[in-house]
Amino acid sequence: MIEAVGLTKRYGAKTAVHNLSFHVRPGMVTGFLGPNGSGKSTTMRMIVGLDVPTSGRVTIGGLPYHKLPNAPRQVGALLDAKAVHGGRSARTHLLSLAQLGGIPAQRVDEVLDVVGLREVAKKRTRGFSLGMGQRLGIAAALLGDPQVLLFDEPVNGLDPEGILWVRNLMKRLAAEGRTVLVSSHLMSEMALTADHLIVIGRGQLMADMSVKDFISANSSDFARVRTPEGEPEAREKLTSALVEAGGRVLPEQDGALRVVGLALPRISDVAHGADVRLWELSPHQASLEEAYMRMTQGAVDYRSTADQRAGFQAPAQPGWQPYAPAPAVRPEQAYPALPGEQPNPYAQGAPQPPQAAPPAVPVPAAPSGAPATGPAPATPQAKPAAAAPADLTKRDSQDAR
């Protein structure tokens, strides 16, 4: 079992992990989730002793990694599949690791068979594809037949067959009673693989629960309703009827309606009573991806925006209109809270109050005969808001992995 208590890691003024506590139990696959820069890789490096915590502790079976007897036989990790000497063959790379860990040489051939690299075992790793490098990294993690395994993005670069193989491998390892911690950004894969989830954001714990409980706590089931296109009056009529019946109606981007609080038969009866035809009436059950996005929407450090140069190109043909970017959506608007949802108070960013526009300063009229041009008088500038603590805003992509 892996246990972290008050785990904190700082790099100067930057905080990668802050007061993080969790347990990774044996016999199940534990998914380790979080946005880019949330501190997942830093946490995993501290687990295997590559980084020293600033404060707090993390233990494996009650002992820190550096105090484990013959650690390579107890803990296996895939943290960076590229950490391989390109001039060595796959077999030579694994042999060197086996010698350092006191592992029999025959185990090298066994793990090469397990990951499917037996035919390329004598090839230099510099010629390996991304997927082959991932398989070699998994082989290195399995080399000591350890009871504790950590995998950072293990399916990166694998084809569908390889992804299925990794999924089944993780489940089999957990079924054997091992402790398996897997970090990944593929929510669909985590939904099929993980039994338990640990979610962090900006270095802090956001959730530690089963996949089923996580989805239930951060989402709410609803119904999708669609009226015939070209009949906006029918859509408005149905919306009013559903609200009057006690439902909550939210517009979808594709023109459909999201109805919460009413069962499908009741929605059908309300539409029939309002004499509105329905083109769609379907139930929607939240996915792990939706629940994850809803929880972490306020903890994303790197958020893209529309290209400001879009539309600057000359029209290619008559009548062509330049692209107009959609209005920006604040994080708290992207996934509105639904009835029954239990939003995470740390992740949900509070809406910012609108800033009042500075009062207009009248410009005195120019004297008769004088040109009306010239610099306008400077308007008083508002003082910048106080900066947030450095360990929550100033984050480095390399240090806060």
Side-chain angles (χ1 to χ4, degrees), residues 34-48:
N36 289 335
S38 60
K40 300 188 303 298
S41 295
T42 299
T43 301
M44 299 181 84
R45 287 175 60 85
M46 286 190 287
I47 293 175
V48 297

Side-chain angles (χ1 to χ4, degrees), residues 33-324:
L33 309 181
N36 289 335
S38 60
K40 300 188 303 298
S41 295
T42 299
T43 301
M44 299 181 84
R45 287 175 60 85
M46 286 190 287
I47 293 175
V48 297
L50 294 177
D51 283 347
V52 179
T54 303
S55 62
R57 59 184 173 86
V58 57
T59 58
I60 301 173
L63 295 174
Y65 182 85
H66 67 276
K67 291 186 178 181
L68 291 174
N70 204 346
R73 288 199 170 195
Q74 298 195 45
V75 182
L78 167 62
L79 302 186
D80 184 2
K82 297 180 180 179
V84 181
H85 192 294
R88 291 179 177 176
S89 67
R91 191 172 190 279
T92 302
H93 170 69
L94 295 177
L95 274 174
S96 63
L97 296 178
Q99 292 174 356
L100 290 173
I103 301 169
Q106 66 180 21
R107 178 61 179 166
V108 171
D109 295 323
E110 293 175 0
V111 294
L112 284 171
D113 284 335
V114 170
V115 301
L117 293 180
R118 186 65 176 267
E119 295 182 358
V120 294
K122 296 182 180 180
K123 291 187 177 181
R124 297 182 187 273
T125 58
R126 68 163 59 98
F128 277 18
S129 66
L130 181 58
M132 294 168 66
Q134 289 293 114
R135 288 177 179 266
L136 182 59
I138 294 174
L142 299 176
L143 195 58
D145 194 23
Q147 287 297 311
V148 177
L149 291 138
L150 291 79
F151 298 97
D152 193 358
E153 299 289 350
V155 299
N156 188 24
L158 293 179
D159 57 16
E161 187 277 334
I163 293 176
L164 177 61
W165 166 72
V166 170
R167 183 194 311 160
N168 293 333
L169 174 65
M170 301 295 151
K171 291 182 177 180
R172 178 173 61 81
L173 292 171
E176 294 173 355
R178 306 176 197 254
T179 301
V180 182
L181 180 64
V182 184
S183 170
S184 178
H185 290 296
L186 299 180
M187 295 298 107
S188 58
E189 193 57 33
M190 280 290 94
L192 296 172
T193 306
D195 306 297
H196 196 86
L197 293 178
I198 295 174
V199 184
I200 65 175
R202 295 191 176 126
Q204 302 182 59
L205 183 67
M206 300 177 68
D208 185 352
M209 60 186 70
S210 68
V211 175
K212 180 179 179 181
D213 291 343
F214 180 81
I215 295 176
S216 176
N218 295 281
S219 63
S220 179
D221 296 340
F222 59 88
R224 279 178 55 88
V225 181
R226 187 187 301 274
T227 57
E229 296 180 2
E231 299 182 10
E233 64 282 354
R235 189 169 184 266
E236 296 176 1
K237 185 178 181 181
L238 178 61
T239 299
S240 300
L242 292 172
V243 171
E244 184 177 352
R248 182 180 178 186
V249 183
L250 298 173
E252 296 278 282
Q253 293 183 353
D254 59 357
L257 297 175
R258 176 187 298 192
V259 182
V260 182
L262 296 177
L264 263 67
R266 177 59 175 155
I267 296 175
S268 178
D269 292 341
V270 171
H272 180 75
D275 195 23
V276 176
R277 292 183 300 146
L278 298 181
W279 276 14
E280 179 184 353
L281 177 57
S282 59
H284 177 87
Q285 293 181 343
S287 64
L288 174 60
E289 179 179 1
E290 293 178 37
Y292 169 82
M293 294 293 291
R294 187 180 298 278
M295 165 170 274
T296 62
Q297 60 183 315
V300 177
D301 286 332
Y302 312 106
R303 196 182 300 275
S304 61
T305 59
D307 186 358
Q308 298 301 316
R309 293 183 61 86
F312 281 19
Q313 299 291 334
Q317 53 186 351
W320 179 87
Q321 296 295 328
Y323 167 75

Side-chain angles (χ1 to χ4, degrees), residues 321-333:
Q321 296 295 328
Y323 167 75
V329 178
R330 297 197 306 269
E332 66 273 8
Q333 295 175 327

Side-chain angles (χ1 to χ4, degrees), residues 311-376:
F312 281 19
Q313 299 291 334
Q317 53 186 351
W320 179 87
Q321 296 295 328
Y323 167 75
V329 178
R330 297 197 306 269
E332 66 273 8
Q333 295 175 327
Y335 291 86
L338 301 177
E341 180 185 350
Q342 302 175 18
N344 184 291
Y346 167 73
Q348 300 291 337
Q352 298 297 324
Q355 299 292 332
V361 178
V363 179
S368 177
T373 60

